[in-house]
Amino acid sequence: MHLFTCPCGESFPISAAQAGQSIQCPHCNQSVQLPKLRDLKQLPATQAAEEASPSRGWSAPQGVLFSVIFACLVASLGMSAWSSYRWLQIEKPPTPEAMIAMGQEEIENHSAAQLLEFWVNYGQPGMGTRRMPGYAQVDAYRESWKHWAFGAYAATAVSLCGLIFVVTKRSSGR
């Protein structure tokens, strides 16, 4: 890069690729003819700091922020995939008709004395804690995995937005 002085008295940098061209002065907007390539040697060279292109690398804080957000994105995508997979693997709860059929089958397989003993002791101390019916347990289990999956989707969306923000902020040079 060399410093070219316009007839208006202002100087501006030009590159060897611009040699011999006619350009407009950035200060006065006048059309000026630049010297040919062999005549550029006579012009003063620009300072090394001006010649160096702006830094294209990440600053340390930007790199750390990008790495953390990217790691969060990867983790939340993994969590989303796992939660969705587990949620889809849970069996659907039986219908009320199926539950009635299972109850009738249990009634047929036990004697009257066994059924009476079970009914008397159901939920009493010594029989253990009273459990919710099987279909309700499956529903609760499905709901918990569904919450995990949607939480992971939200974390993925937030991480992706953060990653886009960091990349666009870096590319705009701010």
Side-chain angles (χ1 to χ4, degrees):
M1 299 282 285
H2 298 279
L3 278 178
F4 176 76
T5 304
C6 176
C8 71
E10 294 291 332
S11 296
F12 56 92
I14 61 169
S15 68
Q18 294 174 310
Q21 295 179 4
S22 180
I23 65 167
Q24 283 189 339
C25 172
H27 302 286
C28 67
N29 291 328
Q30 239 183 303
S31 182
V32 279
Q33 182 68 32
L34 298 179
K36 298 201 183 290
L37 189 58
R38 66 176 170 256
D39 298 329
L40 280 181
K41 294 178 190 173
Q42 297 170 1
L43 295 177
T46 59
Q47 297 295 328
E50 290 178 14
E51 198 170 325
S53 63
S55 174
R56 298 211 182 251
W58 293 81
S59 67
Q62 282 179 323
V64 169
L65 183 61
F66 177 83
S67 299
V68 167
I69 292 175
F70 187 75
C72 289
L73 177 65
V74 169
S76 61
L77 281 171
M79 191 170 83
S80 296
W82 176 250
S83 298
S84 298
Y85 171 76
R86 292 292 298 161
W87 183 52
L88 293 172
Q89 296 303 312
I90 299 170
E91 292 180 23
K92 292 195 171 31
T95 63
E97 293 81 20
M99 291 296 294
I100 291 171
M102 288 190 304
Q104 287 176 344
E105 186 178 320
E106 287 292 320
I107 290 171
E108 292 170 5
N109 292 336
H110 292 89
S111 68
Q114 290 174 324
L115 292 172
L116 179 62
E117 181 182 345
F118 177 74
W119 182 256
V120 169
N121 293 324
Y122 183 72
Q124 298 295 322
M127 284 292 291
T129 59
R130 188 170 179 170
R131 295 181 357 173
M132 66 174 113
Y135 66 90
Q137 289 176 1
V138 172
D139 276 344
Y141 191 57
R142 283 180 66 85
E143 275 301 306
S144 70
W145 276 106
K146 186 168 69 172
H147 291 307
W148 273 101
F150 289 126
Y153 299 151
T156 300
V158 168
S159 298
L160 190 57
C161 289
L163 194 64
I164 290 170
F165 174 74
V166 169
V167 169
T168 56
K169 185 173 179 183
R170 182 218 177 268
S171 66
S172 68
R174 289 186 276 162

